[in-house]
Structure formats: C-alpha cells, structure tokens
Amino acid sequence: QVPLAESGGGLVQAGGSLRLSCVTSGRAFSTYAMGWFRQAPGRDREFVAAILWSTPETSYSDSVKGRFTISRDLAKNTVFLQMNSLKPEDTAVYFCSLKSNPYGSSFDYWGRGTQVTVSS
C-alpha cells in the first residue's frame, strides 16, 4: 500500500501557478520530514523542496527558490507545494516523499507522482 497520494498536477502556461498536495494514509510510521522531488523525461529524479514535520524548517533547490513554497498541515497529515512563476523547465512528474527518521539522507516512502506540464 502506497501511503502517500499526490494531487494537483496539470497543464499550465508559463508564468502560471499550481498547488500540489500530498496526503499520508495508512500510516504505521513516524514522520521526520516530507519532501517533493521531480523527474523530467530523460533526466534523473531531483530534489525540489523539503520540510521538517516538527519545526517547520524548509529547504529548496536553487532552481525553485523564491518561486515555490512548501508547507504542511499537521492535522490533515498533508504537505503542499505552491508553485508560482512556473517555467517550461519545471515540466516533470512531481513525487511526494516521506522521511521517517533523521538518519541518513534517503526518504523512505514515495507517492506515485503527479504530472506537471508548463507550456511556453
């Protein structure tokens, strides 16, 4: 069972905005952090943003800093990615991820992804 479910992807023109959501379900694990990654065709999966579940300290890749905002709703076990000033190079499948402990750098759980397409 995939414990993470993304939504909110779609087609948008350059300069537009989208808001992605990811809700956790069927959880039998703790949450240390949640993050968003993306993978464009022919490219490796890359880090986009992450948020600590308790603080909420955030981090962003340089390519999205100032345009994307990650946030979370503890009561709803949901993490969001607000994407503004979208560019064609933001086109990718966006994956939600969950890190259950502070050890190492790998995230433990992944969603199936949601497609974001930005037209020029």
Side-chain angles (χ1 to χ4, degrees):
Q1 181 181 2
V2 177
L4 305 175
E6 306 99 334
S7 62
L11 173 64
V12 64
Q13 289 188 331
S17 299
L18 282 174
R19 189 192 196 205
L20 305 183
S21 300
C22 174
V23 61
T24 65
S25 61
R27 294 173 54 199
F29 43 83
S30 61
T31 302
Y32 172 72
M34 292 192 72
W36 289 95
F37 291 73
R38 67 187 182 186
Q39 187 167 19
R43 301 187 65 176
D44 293 334
R45 187 175 298 187
E46 64 174 357
F47 170 77
V48 175
I51 186 167
L52 294 183
W53 209 239
S54 60
T55 53
E57 182 179 342
T58 59
S59 62
Y60 299 91
S61 68
D62 288 342
S63 61
V64 306
K65 196 172 297 183
R67 300 188 297 123
F68 291 10
T69 302
I70 189 171
S71 61
R72 88 274 193 267
D73 185 326
L74 296 177
K76 297 181 179 179
N77 291 324
T78 301
V79 64
F80 305 98
L81 186 68
Q82 178 66 43
M83 306 185 294
N84 298 329
S85 302
L86 282 161
K87 305 175 181 179
E89 51 264 44
D90 294 318
T91 295
V93 177
Y94 283 70
F95 297 90
C96 176
S97 59
L98 185 149
K99 185 172 175 56
S100 60
N101 62 71
Y103 308 110
S105 59
S106 298
F107 281 70
D108 307 292
Y109 299 92
W110 296 84
R112 290 193 172 95
T114 184
Q115 177 70 46
V116 171
T117 303
V118 184
S119 63
S120 57

